[in-house]
Amino acid sequence: MVGSAIKEKKHKNMNEFDLAELINTPKPGDYPYTLFLGAGASCSSGIPTARGMVREWQESIYKSTNKDKYDPNDFDNWVKNKYPEWREKHIIYPGQSDYSLLFSYRYKQPQERQLYIEKKLEPNKPAFGYLYLSSLIEDKRFNRILTTNFDDLVNDALRKFYDIKPIVCAFDSAISGIRVASQKPKIVKLHGDFLYNDIRSIGNKNNYSFRSLQENMEEKIEEMCKGYGLIVVGYGGNDDSIMSALKNILKSPEYLTYGLHWCLLSSESEPPPRLQELKSSHPDTIHFYYISSFDRLMEEMHIACNTKMPKVLTDPHKYNLTQEFYDSVKGGSSSKLSDNMTKHLSIFLKSMNKDERDTENYVVMEAELDWERGANVRKKNHQEAMEYFMDGYEKLSKLKKIERDPKLLINALRRKSGLCIAIAKLNKAGIEIPKSKEGRNILIGNWQEALNNAVEAVNQGITQYQQDEVQWLHQRSLIRTFPYNGCCAYSLLCEWNDYFNSLESLTSIEEEIKEKVYSFVQEIKRLDLDGDHYKKLTRDSDFHYLREKLQF
C-alpha cells in the first residue's frame, strides 16, 4: 500500500530544479547541507557501478563453469536459473550481497582486490558532474562530503580545477581528528579507500562485524547531520550499516534539522522498498527528488548559484586541462550533453593554445561539438541543426592519415556514425542537405547514402577496437556506441525501404541485415554490464521498426 501511494505521488514530487533552488537559498559559507555520494554519481566519469562489477564477475564464473560449452548468448539464462544454486553453495553468511560474495570469491586476498579496484579506477577522470560540484565547493556551497565510493574524483576535481586541497579521510584513526565545523572541505569515505587493505564492503568468514561501520565512523555521520540537512545522490540505500545509522539519527529531533533530501532517478518506477518504508515513517523529514542524473543535478545547482568555471579550463594556460577533461566527458558517458554543458565545452576548447588547435585531435573535438549543437537545436530549427551536422561531418571527412592513431580514429568514426544518422533523419523529414556553403564538397547526396555511411563507420569502428580490445574495455560506454548506432542505422534503413514485410521469406539483403543486427545487439549486451544501454536501445524510436519486426 505504501509503495502504491508513493508511486502515485511520483510526478508530484520535486526534481533537480527544486533542489538547486534549495541550495541557492542560504548565503555562501553557511553550509547547512552535507552531501552524500553513492556509486551513481561516478557513472558519467566511467567508474563501473557495483551492479556492473557483479555482472562481470558472474560472467567470469559462468565461463569457468561452462568452459567446454561456453555460449555468450546463454549467459542471461545461467544468471537466472543456475547462479542462485551456485550462490547458495558459496555464500559466507546469511544475507550476504552478491557484490561482497563475488568480490571475495574472485579475489581472495586484500592485495588482489586492491589491484582490481586500482585497474578499474586509474584511467577515469572527473567529468561534468564533478566539475560543477567542485565549483559549488569553491563557492562555499558545500564543505562536507560523505561517500561510499572508492574513487577519488571529488578530490581530483578540486585539486585540478581549483587548486583546493580537501581533507580526505578513509580511516577511523584519522576521522576523530576532523573538525566538522571547520571551513575546509572534508571528504569522508565510508567504505575505506582502494589504496589500502581496509576495503569495508568486503568481509571474511571469521569476521561478520565488517558490515557495520566502525564506531567513530557512525559518530561522524551523526556529527555531520547534527543541526544540518543531508542530500543523498547516486545511492540506493543498500548498506545495512549506513542505513542503520540514518535510522538512528532520524529518531532524534536535533539531527537532520534541514531535512533528508534523497535523489532518485526519474527512470525509476518507484523508490526501493526500504526507502519507501523510511519515508512513510518520517514523511515530514524525508523528501524525494526525481533527477535525470548526477551531472544534471550538479549542473542545475551550478546555474542556480551562478558559480564560476575554473581558469585552467576557460583561459589559455600552460597547464590547460581541456583535452583531459574532454576525454573524461566523452569517454565516460554516451549521454547527450545539455545546452549548458555544450556551451562550457565550447569555451574550454577555445581556450586551448594555437598549437593544440592546429591538430587533428582538435578537429575531432570540434566535430563532436557540432553534433551536440545540432542535437540541442534540432527540435526548434531543423535547418540550423542540419548545418551543424554537415559542418561536423565535413570536418571529419577532411581528416588525413588518422589511421595511424587508433584512439583518434575510434573517436572520429564514433562521431561520424552519429552525424550520418542525424543527417539522414533530417533529410528524410524533408530538410535538404546543404550544397551552397562556400568551399563545401557534396559529400552526401541523400538519406540512403547517409545511412550507408553510418553503417560503414560502425563496422570500421568495431573492427578497429576489436583489434586491441583490452585497451578499450575501460571505455565501454564509448565503444558500445558503435553497435548501438549500427542497430539504429539499420532499423531506419529497413523502415524507409519497407524491408521485413514477410518474415517467412526473407531476401538475401534482409537475412544479412538480420544477422548483423543480432550481432550488434549481442555486442551491446556484452559491453553493457549494467544493462542500461540495451534498455535504452529498446526504447529508442530509431530502433522501434526492427525491434517490432524482429521481436527484440
Side-chain angles (χ1 to χ4, degrees):
M1 189 70 183
V2 171
S4 299
I6 290 179
K7 187 173 181 180
E8 287 173 7
K9 293 181 180 179
K10 172 183 171 180
H11 295 294
K12 298 179 183 178
N13 274 311
M14 296 170 285
N15 56 35
E16 51 262 72
F17 301 98
D18 301 294
L19 192 50
E21 284 304 316
L22 192 69
I23 296 304
N24 187 40
T25 302
K27 66 183 181 187
D30 280 358
Y31 303 119
Y33 299 101
T34 297
L35 187 62
F36 187 116
L37 301 179
S42 298
C43 292
S44 62
S45 292
I47 303 295
T49 63
R51 182 176 58 175
M53 288 190 281
V54 163
R55 188 169 175 84
E56 178 185 324
W57 297 327
Q58 286 175 329
E59 187 172 10
S60 73
I61 291 168
Y62 171 73
K63 289 179 180 178
S64 174
T65 56
N66 295 273
K67 56 186 177 182
D68 295 330
K69 49 180 180 178
Y70 172 65
D71 179 4
N73 297 325
D74 187 50
F75 171 59
D76 287 335
N77 290 330
W78 180 85
V79 170
K80 182 179 180 180
N81 300 312
K82 298 290 185 181
Y83 171 70
E85 181 182 336
W86 182 94
R87 173 184 162 81
E88 278 302 310
K89 290 180 180 177
H90 295 86
I91 198 167
I92 298 172
Y93 58 84
Q96 185 179 20
S97 68
D98 285 337
Y99 178 86
S100 172
L101 169 62
L102 293 169
F103 202 175
S104 56
Y105 175 84
R106 180 51 64 198
Y107 301 98
K108 294 179 170 53
Q109 299 302 316
Q111 290 81 3
E112 294 171 340
R113 295 195 287 269
Q114 291 168 34
L115 288 175
Y116 174 84
I117 294 294
E118 286 177 17
K119 182 179 178 182
K120 288 292 182 185
L121 302 186
E122 192 277 329
N124 299 293
K125 309 295 180 185
F128 264 114
Y130 285 101
L131 171 64
Y132 291 138
L133 173 56
S134 61
S135 78
L136 291 160
I137 293 173
E138 195 273 341
D139 197 49
K140 301 186 184 302
R141 303 291 179 165
F142 294 109
N143 75 340
R144 298 179 305 278
I145 311 290
L146 295 168
T147 180
T148 58
N149 298 342
F150 294 126
D151 65 66
D152 214 20
L153 293 174
V154 182
N155 184 26
D156 282 352
L158 287 170
R159 286 174 175 267
K160 285 180 179 178
F161 301 140
Y162 292 97
D163 198 26
I164 294 174
K165 299 175 179 61
I167 298 170
V168 181
C169 179
F171 289 108
D172 297 326
S173 58
I175 285 175
S176 59
I178 289 182
R179 279 196 316 113
V180 172
S182 73
Q183 295 284 306
K184 196 173 181 69
K186 297 160 283 289
I187 303 168
V188 176
K189 295 189 174 184
L190 303 179
H191 280 173
D193 193 294
F194 75 92
L195 294 176
Y196 307 97
N197 288 347
D198 187 32
I199 297 182
R200 292 190 179 85
S201 47
I202 297 300
N204 58 65
K205 292 181 181 179
N206 302 317
N207 181 14
Y208 296 169
S209 65
F210 76 93
R211 286 177 291 165
S212 297
L213 293 173
Q214 290 159 336
E215 196 170 295
N216 66 346
M217 184 72 83
E218 290 183 343
E219 290 175 0
K220 197 53 59 178
I221 293 178
E222 293 175 0
E223 194 173 344
M224 287 193 171
C225 294
K226 189 174 184 178
Y228 301 119
L230 185 66
I231 296 171
V232 181
V233 191
Y235 178 66
N238 296 319
D239 301 276
D240 290 339
S241 50
I242 293 172
M243 292 302 291
S244 176
L246 290 178
K247 287 178 181 178
N248 286 336
I249 65 176
L250 279 164
K251 296 174 183 177
S252 174
E254 61 184 329
Y255 294 99
L256 297 175
T257 52
Y258 284 84
L260 173 53
H261 306 271
W262 206 297
C263 296
L264 305 164
L265 288 177
S266 54
S267 59
E268 294 178 3
S269 58
E270 61 181 34
R274 58 168 38 183
L275 293 188
Q276 295 181 24
E277 181 182 345
L278 202 62
K279 181 170 174 58
S280 66
S281 300
H282 306 276
D284 296 329
T285 304
I286 299 176
H287 311 283
F288 289 155
Y289 298 79
Y290 287 88
I291 66 172
S292 55
S293 68
F294 167 72
D295 284 13
R296 290 297 176 90
L297 172 63
M298 292 297 115
E299 177 190 17
E300 291 304 328
M301 288 185 179
H302 147 75
I303 292 171
C305 298
N306 195 28
T307 59
K308 296 178 181 177
M309 289 292 93
K311 290 186 176 181
V312 290
L313 288 174
T314 58
D315 297 344
H317 196 283
K318 65 178 180 178
Y319 300 120
N320 193 295
L321 296 173
T322 298
Q323 179 67 64
E324 180 183 299
F325 181 72
Y326 171 87
D327 289 343
S328 300
V329 171
K330 304 311 295 185
S333 172
S334 55
S335 298
K336 184 173 79 69
L337 300 182
S338 67
D339 288 348
N340 198 62
M341 293 176 185
T342 302
K343 180 189 74 175
H344 279 137
L345 209 52
S346 181
I347 292 170
F348 300 161
L349 289 189
K350 289 176 182 176
S351 77
M352 298 175 76
N353 61 48
K354 187 177 184 303
D355 289 341
E356 291 173 315
R357 291 200 303 269
D358 289 340
T359 63
E360 291 174 327
N361 202 44
Y362 183 83
V363 174
V364 174
M365 290 192 288
E366 275 290 342
E368 283 270 15
L369 274 181
D370 284 331
W371 184 88
E372 296 287 355
R373 294 171 184 131
N376 285 330
V377 303
R378 182 164 39 193
K379 288 184 179 179
K380 299 176 183 177
N381 191 323
H382 288 175
Q383 193 61 55
E384 185 180 358
M386 178 67 91
E387 286 286 348
Y388 279 130
F389 294 144
M390 281 303 298
D391 282 348
Y393 182 82
E394 187 172 21
K395 285 169 185 170
L396 295 178
S397 298
K398 289 180 179 179
L399 290 175
K400 307 295 183 184
K401 299 180 181 178
I402 61 172
E403 288 80 4
R404 294 176 296 184
D405 186 338
K407 179 182 176 182
L408 187 61
L409 180 59
I410 287 285
N411 284 323
L413 290 170
R414 171 180 177 267
R415 182 43 56 218
K416 188 176 182 179
S417 66
L419 285 165
C420 287
I421 293 172
I423 291 166
K425 288 167 67 176
L426 287 176
N427 182 239
K428 179 65 176 174
I431 306 302
E432 185 178 353
I433 297 175
K435 300 175 182 178
S436 59
K437 194 167 183 178
E438 186 177 350
R440 171 177 283 162
N441 295 319
I442 308 304
L443 302 170
I444 299 177
N446 53 43
W447 60 261
Q448 182 95 21
E449 286 184 28
L451 290 178
N452 287 335
N453 287 351
V455 169
E456 182 181 343
V458 164
N459 289 328
Q460 190 179 350
I462 292 175
T463 300
Q464 183 66 38
Y465 76 67
Q466 287 181 342
Q467 289 177 3
D468 189 9
E469 188 165 316
V470 174
Q471 175 190 341
W472 291 100
L473 280 181
H474 73 276
Q475 289 187 302
R476 292 172 188 264
S477 61
L478 189 151
I479 59 176
R480 72 187 178 202
T481 304
F482 286 109
Y484 187 103
N485 283 354
C487 286
C488 292
Y490 270 130
S491 185
L492 294 173
L493 202 60
C494 292
E495 180 180 3
W496 298 341
N497 282 300
D498 208 22
Y499 290 167
F500 291 101
N501 276 326
S502 173
L503 293 180
E504 277 108 32
S505 56
L506 298 181
T507 66
S508 58
I509 293 177
E510 290 170 334
E511 286 284 5
E512 183 181 342
I513 290 175
K514 179 181 177 181
E515 183 179 339
K516 198 71 178 177
V517 170
Y518 272 117
S519 71
F520 285 159
V521 167
Q522 291 306 317
E523 184 71 352
I524 292 170
K525 289 182 176 181
R526 186 178 72 88
L527 296 172
D528 183 26
L529 296 178
D530 286 334
D532 296 333
H533 216 57
Y534 177 66
K535 291 179 183 176
K536 178 183 174 184
L537 176 69
T538 60
R539 295 192 297 264
D540 196 318
S541 59
D542 290 352
F543 187 60
H544 82 93
Y545 185 79
L546 283 186
R547 182 190 64 218
E548 296 298 321
K549 291 291 184 180
L550 301 182
Q551 298 182 344
F552 283 99

